[in-house]
Amino acid sequence: MIVDLSKLPPNLESDFTTWRTGEGEAAQWAVVADPTAADGSAIAQVSKDRTDYRFPLAVYKSYFGKDVEVSVRFKPVAGTVDQAGGIAVRLSTPDDYYVARANALEDNVRFYRVVKGKREQLASANAKVEPNQWHTLALTAEGDRFTVSFDGKALLSAQDGTFADSGKVALWTKADSVTYFDTISIMPLK
């Protein structure tokens, strides 16, 4: 399924629920105009709260599953603590899920599991993540195997059985990252 951003209201409430892992202010997600986005608009996390251990999530309401391939185009726009964008899968609570993310300040792509709000890195690779440029991030979850692709290239793989059940899918950011997302694809594998 492709998420049609052109039909979303400015506050996203019809299609997304907003959660936050960690501390700090609640996330501020909105639909914003961007002439470089695929349909001229993007979903954006616009809060500039600088709390370091703060992970805003925009949880897509219409999907619940286990084995899935999720891809999204994202653009890191601003942030002094972080400039990151990511995809979370198998969310059962705001504190329990897997996440793949790319960071423009660190020039890397990482895969984590978050258990009871604690983040643990499972895989990492260096990659040039240009700020203010669109990139494509994809995460495939199949059984206990995970593959992360960045700009069309498979970059990371990991195996983990912590979250074996179905869950939600979400867009993810960190700290004061102002990140735009468009072209969201969620493809169930089974």
Side-chain angles (χ1 to χ4, degrees):
M1 74 184 73
I2 304 294
V3 179
D4 187 351
L5 301 183
S6 68
K7 295 183 179 176
L8 292 177
N11 63 7
L12 307 177
E13 288 178 3
S14 63
D15 292 82
F16 289 86
T17 299
T18 59
W19 289 354
R20 183 200 72 235
T21 304
E23 303 164 347
E25 294 176 5
Q28 295 175 14
W29 293 90
V31 175
V32 297
D34 183 335
T36 67
D39 292 324
S41 61
I43 295 175
Q45 197 300 123
V46 296
S47 169
K48 296 178 182 174
D49 183 330
R50 294 173 49 102
T51 304
D52 185 55
Y53 206 81
R54 176 180 176 269
F55 307 101
L57 295 153
V59 183
Y60 189 58
K61 292 179 180 179
S62 296
Y63 176 81
F64 185 83
K66 176 182 173 182
D67 294 330
V68 65
E69 181 179 319
V70 182
S71 68
V72 65
R73 272 190 0 137
F74 76 99
K75 178 169 69 168
V77 175
T80 56
V81 175
D82 240 299
Q83 289 185 24
I87 300 165
V89 298
R90 297 188 186 165
L91 283 91
S92 58
T93 76
D95 294 327
D96 297 286
Y97 54 88
Y98 292 106
V99 62
R101 70 95 175 115
N103 189 314
L105 294 183
E106 298 174 3
D107 281 330
N108 59 34
V109 175
R110 292 190 172 157
F111 179 65
Y112 296 95
R113 69 177 163 216
V114 180
V115 180
K116 297 181 182 175
K118 303 290 185 205
R119 192 173 58 146
E120 182 180 345
Q121 182 177 301
L122 299 178
S124 179
N126 293 328
K128 185 65 180 163
V129 183
E130 294 285 347
N132 291 304
Q133 299 291 321
W134 287 102
H135 299 280
T136 301
L137 184 67
L139 173 57
T140 301
E142 193 165 13
D144 64 355
R145 297 193 176 277
F146 301 87
T147 304
V148 179
S149 298
F150 180 71
D151 286 342
K153 178 183 172 190
L155 198 59
L156 303 173
S157 62
Q159 190 169 353
D160 186 75
T162 303
F163 302 115
D165 295 329
S166 295
K168 303 298 276 177
V169 165
L171 304 174
W172 177 100
T173 68
K174 180 177 186 250
D176 64 344
S177 298
V178 174
T179 306
Y180 290 7
F181 298 88
D182 80 353
T183 317
I184 304 163
S185 170
I186 302 168
M187 305 299 295
L189 298 178
K190 294 181 183 179

